[in-house]
Amino acid sequence: MSETRKRLKPTIVDVAKLAGTSIATVSRTLSGSSYPVSEATRLNVTKAAEQLGYTPNLIGKMLKTNQSQTIGVLIPSFQNAFYIQIIHGITKTATALGYTVLTFSSQRDVQQERTIINQMLQKQILGLMIASVDTSSSTISHYIENGGRACIFESNFKDSHRFILAKTDMVESGRLAMNYLIEMGHSNIAIITTPLSKQSRRNTIKGCRYAMVDHGLEFTDEDIIIAPFERELDDGLYEFEVGRDLVDLLINRVKKYTAILAVNDLIACGIIKGLKKYGLSVPQDISVMGMDDIPLSSMISPTLSTVHMPSYTLGQKACQLMVDAMKEKEKRYGVALSIRPELVERESVKKLSR
Amino acid sequence: MSETRKRLKPTIVDVAKLAGTSIATVSRTLSGSSYPVSEATRLNVTKAAEQLGYTPNLIGKMLKTNQSQTIGVLIPSFQNAFYIQIIHGITKTATALGYTVLTFSSQRDVQQERTIINQMLQKQILGLMIASVDTSSSTISHYIENGGRACIFESNFKDSHRFILAKTDMVESGRLAMNYLIEMGHSNIAIITTPLSKQSRRNTIKGCRYAMVDHGLEFTDEDIIIAPFERELDDGLYEFEVGRDLVDLLINRVKKYTAILAVNDLIACGIIKGLKKYGLSVPQDISVMGMDDIPLSSMISPTLSTVHMPSYTLGQKACQLMVDAMKEKEKRYGVALSIRPELVERESVKKLSR
DNA sequence: ATGAAAGCGCTAACAC
DNA sequence: GTGTTAGCGCTTTCAT
């Protein structure tokens, strides 16, 4: 009884012993190597492995090969359907390409974001797809310098050329939404937004401005109502509540608006709710327009007119790019992907007759 | 120039070399070991590590220690807020306890679920928290036999005593909802549900039955309307659409119902939408009750009366249990956690005067 | 308090 | 076609 190995998980050594071959042969058979192995031994090994209930230990492999075929996805929140859609897209293509994806949420916490990225690096996850809340690119730079490839969906730091950029065109999105409202006869339009700390937000506003200017309409900072703070609620209602509560502010303005444009659907839904409190109904009394096109938007009443962000597609395409980048030895710089948003006309905007 | 190491990521060896100590000392300093190291060398090593931009390679550590401080969470869908809440709870406590959590979605695909579990095993992720869609427990059994610890939120196989059970009490939940409707004066109540393939669904229905029987009310299978199929839509609207479309069926019944009970909120929201199509308003014409209490439920109009599942709490407590289990050498069996649901009274149910 | 050395499970030269 | 062996980066006895 001296030969009894620890009754723990069997390794290739055990398989080799049982099959009566070398561990190299076992490895070659079981790891899908292209190395030639005779049919006879292959069968033998497979059988032995099965008999022992052998499960390969990827850690061993990873340590040796220094690659994990894994992509880490880091988003600010699981509550936001926009990110969830991106993840969906990523996961689907990644899986198809033989990659595993790990999903993390930073809960909009910069410190946590940094920690997670560093942990990914430590775990040799050399592919990172991220919607960042950081204002500095140093963590990601560090990540890249250590051999990682990064794809950025959102960020607040100046875009460097060291990673893949995959964004929805927010300027276009703002312009699209605003144009639509204008074409529907609106000219007194309020914009409701969370703080402009994120570049994407600023871009959206920029797009709105362009549209107004294009139509020769007046548009001042007064017309932009900014939520006083940003945070992450555990129940995912934050933005909804922002919209709902900012209605109070809006309603007391001297200037009367015929339409409200929210920088995302969740806020827009909150606005509709808030307006109900005042007995105002959408779109009869006032029109509301969102941005993102999350599932919720077609569930509420009235259904929300919005701008569809092809986030699912974005996730897919970005992931493809990512995998390409991970496979290449050399880093490609300045790869960029921009997805054009589309207008979705539903019930929450009324056509004004002039 | 013969000593130039590959200009790749520095390892402890490099740090040791620079600090002029042994790799053992470096490991002891940097890995937070309790082993005594003199302040002087500690400082030296730290400095050297910093200077080199050293990042520890967790893979090496994992291979050696055979533990990754990682918990894998596997849910059927990212679209369902109920799971998202659980994940939230898990992530928060796990992080606090120094564990990393990996989130996966099986997209309700049994095959994918199995693949993911096996991959986790291969990657030495020895903690699994899962809402399973599998009908067989064999994959999870295999996982456990190989040293994994599992915590089950939902499953369709007979509960074994080999893992931690963490469920919401669905029978109670069904009873609670039904009781409420009955107390509000309803006796003609329809139940709308997705297929009863999941045990939790069957339990819910069981609870409903109990409530009816308790009140001496009649309740036949006729009153249960079952969706013809189950699937996962990319846009997360599936259950909403089920609810919306099953209204068509319901409306044509001879028996007239005064209330509808949906087995989850998403379906309930769909029902409200569907009823609108027929010009029926909730709760004036008919009452609707949901189950789950997802954020959406307080966003729609009318706000949805439902049964709150403390999924966030469930995630937290389960995670605590999980970490305990992972720390213990010996497996504990039959640990179980059951969370009691709570009634949430909102606007979608009308009190009937008899 | 520090160092030398033996692996953790696996792959990939390199021999035969 | 198969076996031998040297590590991947790290922790951890066991000496010193």
Side-chain angles (χ1 to χ4, degrees), chain A residues 75-77 80 82-83 106 108 110 113 131-135 153-159 167 170 193-206 226 230-232 238-239 263-264 267 292:
Chain A
I75 56 169
S77 160
N80 190 317
F82 177 71
Y83 300 125
S106 67
R108 298 193 201 288
V110 175
E113 179 180 312
S132 171
V133 295
D134 206 333
T135 43
F153 292 113
E154 277 177 16
S155 68
N156 303 312
F157 41 84
K158 217 173 66 271
D159 297 333
K167 303 200 174 183
M170 295 311 286
T193 176
T194 43
L196 300 179
S197 51
K198 292 202 290 188
Q199 206 185 27
S200 58
R201 285 270 174 281
R202 292 194 293 270
N203 281 339
T204 304
I205 304 294
K206 199 188 287 179
I226 302 176
E230 188 141 28
R231 71 200 154 91
E232 177 75 357
Y238 161 63
E239 287 175 306
V263 292
N264 73 39
I267 297 178
D292 274 0

Side-chain angles (χ1 to χ4, degrees), chain A residues 288-326:
Chain A
V288 175
M289 174 108 199
M291 231 177 264
D292 274 0
D293 192 24
I294 59 179
L296 171 64
S297 306
S298 42
M299 295 184 191
I300 61 159
S301 301
T303 52
L304 186 72
S305 289
T306 185
V307 177
H308 178 70
M309 301 293 175
S311 43
Y312 183 80
T313 315
L314 182 66
Q316 285 187 119
K317 296 204 171 162
C319 182
Q320 183 60 255
L321 244 38
M322 187 76 215
V323 170
D324 290 347
M326 288 175 78

Side-chain angles (χ1 to χ4, degrees), chain B residues 29 38-48:
Chain B
T29 317
S38 82
E39 234 4 86
T41 37
R42 160 160 272 121
L43 213 73
N44 228 314
V45 170
T46 320
K47 205 171 293 176

Side-chain angles (χ1 to χ4, degrees), chain B residues 165-267:
Chain B
L165 235 42
K167 303 199 173 182
T168 43
D169 189 337
M170 295 311 286
V171 177
E172 179 60 22
S173 167
R175 189 206 300 265
L176 218 50
M178 205 52 150
N179 264 343
Y180 174 67
L181 288 175
I182 295 170
E183 276 157 22
M184 292 293 275
H186 296 271
S187 51
N188 289 319
I189 303 168
I191 294 181
I192 293 195
T193 177
T194 43
L196 300 179
S197 51
K198 293 203 288 186
Q199 206 187 24
S200 58
R201 284 270 174 282
R202 291 194 293 271
N203 281 338
T204 304
I205 304 295
K206 199 188 287 180
C208 295
R209 278 227 158 78
Y210 288 163
M212 290 299 267
V213 170
D214 284 353
H215 289 80
L217 292 169
E218 198 178 342
F219 185 65
T220 68
D221 284 351
E222 286 264 302
D223 299 325
I224 305 177
I225 299 170
I226 302 176
F229 52 86
E230 188 141 27
R231 71 199 155 89
E232 177 75 356
L233 249 57
D234 275 341
D235 57 4
L237 283 165
Y238 161 62
E239 286 175 307
F240 180 84
E241 289 177 352
V242 161
R244 195 192 53 202
D245 297 343
L246 284 184
V247 167
D248 297 341
L249 253 172
L250 196 111
I251 225 81
N252 293 317
R253 290 281 175 98
V254 218
K255 181 165 178 180
K256 288 306 167 202
Y257 297 98
T258 61
I260 305 174
L261 173 55
V263 292
N264 73 39
D265 280 3
L266 220 42
I267 297 177

Side-chain angles (χ1 to χ4, degrees), chain A residues 101-115:
Chain A
V101 0
L102 304 185
T103 329
F104 301 89
S105 156
S106 67
Q107 328 224 76
R108 298 193 201 288
D109 181 316
V110 175
Q111 206 34 258
Q112 239 194 293
E113 179 180 312
R114 294 181 184 163
T115 309

Side-chain angles (χ1 to χ4, degrees), chain A residues 58-86:
Chain A
L58 257 324
I59 302 289
K61 177 173 185 163
M62 283 152 91
L63 182 56
K64 181 70 189 176
T65 61
N66 198 29
Q67 51 156 324
S68 56
Q69 299 258 106
T70 301
I71 295 173
V73 181
L74 179 46
I75 56 169
S77 160
F78 279 129
Q79 308 289 357
N80 190 317
F82 177 71
Y83 300 125
I84 301 293
Q85 289 297 94
I86 292 185

Side-chain angles (χ1 to χ4, degrees), chain A residues 11-12 27 31 54 57 60 64:
Chain A
T11 74
I12 30 171
S27 171
S31 70
Y54 168 74
N57 182 338
K64 181 70 189 176

Side-chain angles (χ1 to χ4, degrees), chain B residues 84-104:
Chain B
I84 300 293
Q85 288 297 93
I86 292 184
I87 289 184
H88 237 245
I90 293 176
T91 308
K92 217 149 201 172
T93 50
T95 308
L97 296 167
Y99 279 68
T100 307
V101 357
L102 305 185
T103 328
F104 301 89

